Amino acid sequence: MRSEGSPLLLKIAALACVAFLHVPLLLIFLYAFTTEEKSFQFPPPGYTTKWFGVVWERQDIWDAIGLSVKVAGIATVLALILGTCAAAAISRAKFFGRDHISLLFILPIALPGIVTGIALRSTFGIMDIPFSTWTIVLGHTTFCMVVVYNNVLARFRRTSGSMIEASMDLGADGFQTFRYVVLPQIASALLAGGMLAFALSFDEVIVTTFTAGQQSTLPIWMLNELIRPRQRPITNVVAIFVIAVTFIPILAAYYLTREGEHTAGAGK
Amino acid sequence: MATAVSFQKISRYFGPVRAVDDVTLDIAEGEFFAMLGPSGSGKTTCLRLIAGFEQPTSGHMEIFGVTSEGVPPYQRNVNTVFQDYALFPHMTVLDNVAYGLMVKGIDKPTRHRKALEALTLVALGSFGSRRPSQLSGGQRQRVALARALVNEPKVLLLDEPLGALDLKLREQMQVELKALQRNLGITFVFVTHDQGEALSMADRVAIFNDGRIVQVGSPEDIYERPNTKFVADFVGSSNVLSPAFSKAAGGPEKWASLRPEKIGILPARAKPSPGQQGASAKIIAAHYQGSVTRFNTRTANGEVINVTVPSSLGKFAEGDEIMLHWPKEALHIMAGEA
Ligand SMILES: Nc1ncnc2c1ncn2[C@@H]1O[C@H](COP(=O)(O)OP(=O)(O)OP(=O)(O)O)[C@@H](O)[C@H]1O
Ligand SMILES: [Mg+2]
């Protein structure tokens, strides 16, 4: 019934959309192998894999990758801890203004990154905090925390509050209750939230621009590199690497949360 | 007999809501104690006060003679069977039951053996390896019971444990719970809003209304001698008669109750024998119920009185003018105001 009802035009539009989204991705792959290094001409004059070797040799790329992984890793860990605590407080406790505070938590992801960036930069300026890896981490934690918070909060809403009381009733103190009852139930939400947070942090540009100072994370390095006319295909090689690093966790997170919902539904 | 739980002028307010209002109560050791009352009357809050999930706003509580102020739930020798059972979905049934022993640091073989014993006690010995989601409602209820009992609590709190079960299963579980309580000798505090359940299972019943206890007594006390109109109405089937009626019958001007089966029917204008009281009335409806027939009658003053008589005497029909009569002492004058 449905497909019968959707006219040809709609199908074409859908195809065009898919093409619009994915053809640029394909081009990135294509030009990672081109022999022409100054401009992207179509079709590429020849094909080579030498750019992979060039990337392998360049220390500035490894530095950028190292910084990005470090920042994303620390921001994710901080986000996991802070996001879980915030979600627990919001879902369990009843206090005045709870809903407003909940909104405040989600705001950083709704705000344009440029606002977050400027806000952080002026704060660091006012407080005389020098730019460092830690200022980047701080900037990233603001939006990473939101992702974790949302995931964990959704899971908390689904688990019954009386389970925590049951655990206390059976003699478990707060720590044991967290360890044996709460943690197993939010584990997959934490994993999914953590992976999303990592992926978000890994390719963040805007907030990073405002909080990085002289250092380059991988996305910033790529931006700078694109402006130069030399050895262009190496950015494509790095882009492929970025796609792999961010896409795999997002895909995994998607399947993990889906499965989590599935098992929670079966428990009813 | 020792006092298991003692409420001394306990109140618990939530802002302006007086969930529990100045309750004084002693629950004896080994007793099956039921808390009965309409929705929102404070029964669950009372249980949560005993379990330690709530702290009283004022008043003093003792559990087996020990002041319970400031004692957290996990240090009270009290366990709860929750209304929604609150089983842990990520653990097997056996691990659920063994949970209380695990957090106390008892080794695995011992706690699994004890958990299996508890499961056997509730006739679920072979279900240990399942997950809670693979059990029926009645089975989950019994797992929740086993999980509480394995800790050998001195007091077991049950918050409408049978509420989610269908009628047949509920009746079966009532019998099993009662037998279990007798055998184990544990104090049960049982919350329900089903009067039949409270009266048939409990040694004593407390009737709650608006956060207060309006009457405490044996099921017979509550049923035969309700002390307020509220109790008579709530506990069911008794006739509640106005103060004017009591006065006309020669008593004080107070609400009274009169059980339907204590009343007999005579033809109109017949005279009740000595020691009996009477009132003329008209039958407004007759319901044949097998061995008995139930008549709804109305007196000249508009008082509605239900009467149950053996069907073998059933020579009366709807619309008949009749004379109701009952032994003088059957008219129970209620002490309370409302
Ligand atoms: N945490 C709370 N915050 C505010 N009010 C509460 C809270 N817990 C209970 N109340 C209020 O206290 C009153 C008594 O509630 P309680 O749950 O004890 O009733 P109950 O007798 O168990 O009712 P039910 O038969 O419906 O379970 C109700 O008016 C309820 O709204
Ligand atoms: Mg309740």
Side-chain angles (χ1 to χ4, degrees):
Chain A
M1 288 299 280
R2 260 251 200 84
S3 63
E4 207 176 73
S6 80
L8 192 62
L9 211 61
L10 263 184
K11 285 183 188 163
I12 293 174
L15 273 178
C17 267
V18 172
F20 179 68
L21 288 174
H22 291 280
V23 166
L25 280 181
L26 290 178
L27 286 181
I28 285 186
F29 278 92
L30 185 64
Y31 284 103
F33 299 96
T34 183
T35 47
E36 166 62 56
E37 66 168 304
K38 294 208 172 55
S39 65
F40 291 150
Q41 48 176 271
F42 191 84
Y47 297 94
T48 171
T49 51
K50 73 166 180 184
W51 303 118
F52 285 84
V54 173
V55 166
W56 187 260
E57 299 293 321
R58 290 217 4 205
Q59 188 54 39
D60 55 337
I61 298 180
W62 287 110
D63 288 347
I65 290 178
L67 181 66
S68 276
V69 168
K70 186 173 161 194
V71 166
I74 300 175
T76 301
V77 170
L78 284 178
L80 284 175
I81 297 168
L82 295 176
T84 306
C85 292
I90 292 291
S91 68
R92 289 282 164 257
K94 297 189 185 74
F95 50 83
F96 177 72
R98 188 178 73 153
D99 294 341
H100 305 274
I101 291 185
S102 182
L103 189 68
L104 283 181
F105 278 127
I106 314 179
L107 212 54
I109 213 160
L111 275 180
I114 197 150
V115 176
T116 314
I118 291 175
L120 283 168
R121 192 184 184 104
S122 17
T123 312
F124 294 147
I126 292 168
M127 296 176 73
D128 268 338
I129 300 174
F131 292 116
S132 68
T133 309
W134 290 103
T135 52
I136 312 178
V137 167
L138 218 61
H140 286 199
T141 308
T142 55
F143 55 83
C144 288
M145 197 189 98
V146 183
V147 180
V148 174
Y149 168 82
N150 271 339
N151 264 286
V152 175
L153 189 68
R155 185 61 53 87
F156 271 141
R157 294 233 159 103
R158 279 207 305 263
T159 55
S160 105
S162 60
M163 233 179 280
I164 290 171
E165 290 191 342
S167 169
M168 303 277 245
D169 187 78
L170 292 165
D173 58 29
F175 176 75
Q176 287 171 317
T177 299
F178 182 76
R179 164 84 182 73
Y180 298 117
V181 176
V182 179
L183 201 55
Q185 300 205 48
I186 62 169
S188 65
L190 282 180
L191 197 60
M195 283 178 166
L196 269 176
F198 189 91
L200 275 181
S201 163
F202 195 78
D203 68 358
E204 215 287 335
V205 175
I206 303 172
V207 175
T208 319
T209 316
F210 284 92
T211 52
Q214 295 308 311
Q215 305 190 77
S216 288
T217 61
L218 195 59
I220 303 272
W221 175 87
M222 287 173 77
L223 267 181
N224 293 337
E225 198 64 21
L226 271 181
I227 302 165
R228 291 182 208 156
R230 281 178 43 249
Q231 295 196 325
R232 283 206 161 168
I234 62 167
T235 47
N236 291 54
V237 172
V238 176
I240 291 175
F241 174 74
V242 172
I243 290 174
V245 168
T246 56
F247 193 66
I248 292 168
I250 287 182
L251 209 65
Y254 173 72
Y255 280 106
L256 276 173
T257 38
R258 234 181 35 164
E259 194 177 332
E261 263 153 39
H262 185 74
T263 45
K268 289 286 143 59
Chain B
M1 206 180 280
T3 303
V5 181
S6 169
F7 282 66
Q8 289 157 27
K9 296 180 144 317
I10 290 274
S11 296
R12 176 64 170 110
Y13 302 160
F14 295 104
V17 180
R18 303 185 161 206
V20 173
D21 191 9
D22 196 26
V23 164
T24 296
L25 175 69
D26 280 333
I27 299 171
E29 186 177 0
E31 187 170 40
F32 196 126
F33 191 87
M35 292 180 171
L36 177 64
S39 191
S41 56
K43 310 176 297 283
T44 296
T45 308
C46 272
L47 278 201
R48 293 172 59 81
L49 283 164
I50 303 175
F53 298 129
E54 301 282 356
Q55 296 299 321
T57 309
S58 65
H60 178 69
M61 186 189 300
E62 286 179 6
I63 299 174
F64 282 93
V66 179
T67 301
S68 62
E69 267 104 79
V71 181
Y74 52 88
Q75 283 170 5
R76 298 188 181 202
N77 204 348
V78 167
N79 284 114
T80 308
V81 176
F82 290 81
Q83 179 163 15
D84 62 357
Y85 312 145
L87 299 178
F88 307 127
H90 57 286
M91 295 181 192
T92 62
V93 165
L94 193 68
D95 283 334
N96 260 282
V97 177
Y99 186 82
L101 303 173
M102 178 195 64
V103 296
K104 286 187 197 83
I106 290 170
D107 64 278
K108 200 164 185 172
T110 313
R111 66 178 191 249
H112 278 177
R113 182 173 50 75
K114 288 197 168 175
L116 195 61
E117 278 169 21
L119 277 174
T120 311
L121 191 69
V122 296
L124 286 177
S126 59
F127 287 70
S129 58
R130 293 209 195 175
R131 297 267 164 171
S133 59
Q134 297 166 320
L135 299 180
S136 74
Q139 289 164 340
R140 282 180 215 183
Q141 199 275 336
R142 283 188 274 187
V143 173
L145 193 63
R147 187 176 68 172
L149 289 175
V150 80
N151 302 293
E152 299 171 7
K154 285 183 164 176
V155 181
L156 187 68
L157 309 174
L158 304 102
D159 193 355
E160 300 191 37
L162 310 180
L165 307 182
D166 65 44
L167 186 65
K168 191 150 178 275
L169 198 55
R170 191 150 82 212
E171 284 169 351
Q172 180 195 337
M173 286 303 300
Q174 283 173 5
V175 175
E176 288 179 16
L177 261 185
K178 181 74 192 159
L180 201 65
Q181 192 265 343
R182 280 278 164 274
N183 293 337
L184 298 174
I186 296 175
T187 311
F188 273 37
V189 183
F190 185 96
V191 162
T192 174
H193 52 224
D194 177 335
Q195 40 275 32
E197 199 164 280
L199 296 179
S200 67
M201 295 171 79
D203 299 320
R204 277 196 311 153
V205 180
I207 309 282
F208 279 73
N209 186 30
D210 268 346
R212 293 170 168 271
I213 293 183
V214 280
Q215 187 171 3
V216 187
S218 67
E220 294 85 53
D221 276 343
I222 301 280
Y223 190 68
E224 303 275 347
R225 294 175 288 281
N227 63 11
T228 69
K229 175 173 179 290
F230 173 83
V231 176
D233 272 339
F234 190 76
V235 173
S237 61
S238 201
N239 292 300
V240 179
L241 302 166
S242 69
F245 186 94
S246 315
K247 193 159 187 231
E253 196 170 351
K254 289 208 169 243
W255 291 94
S257 77
L258 183 57
R259 304 225 48 86
E261 66 274 12
K262 296 277 170 70
I263 306 173
I265 298 182
L266 296 172
R269 274 182 292 283
K271 244 196 141 32
S273 43
Q276 300 257 321
Q277 294 176 332
S280 39
K282 184 177 176 176
I283 297 177
I284 47 180
H287 306 282
Y288 177 73
Q289 294 174 337
S291 60
V292 294
T293 300
R294 191 175 174 89
F295 293 104
N296 302 128
T297 71
R298 191 187 291 127
T299 67
N301 301 333
E303 208 85 43
V304 174
I305 302 178
N306 294 321
V307 184
T308 325
V309 295
S311 295
S312 51
L313 305 176
K315 51 191 183 248
F316 300 99
E318 209 173 301
D320 286 357
E321 296 284 347
I322 47 155
M323 173 62 75
L324 300 174
H325 70 110
W326 57 88
K328 220 173 161 136
E329 65 280 3
L331 186 72
H332 170 71
I333 305 292
M334 293 187 277
E337 283 310 311

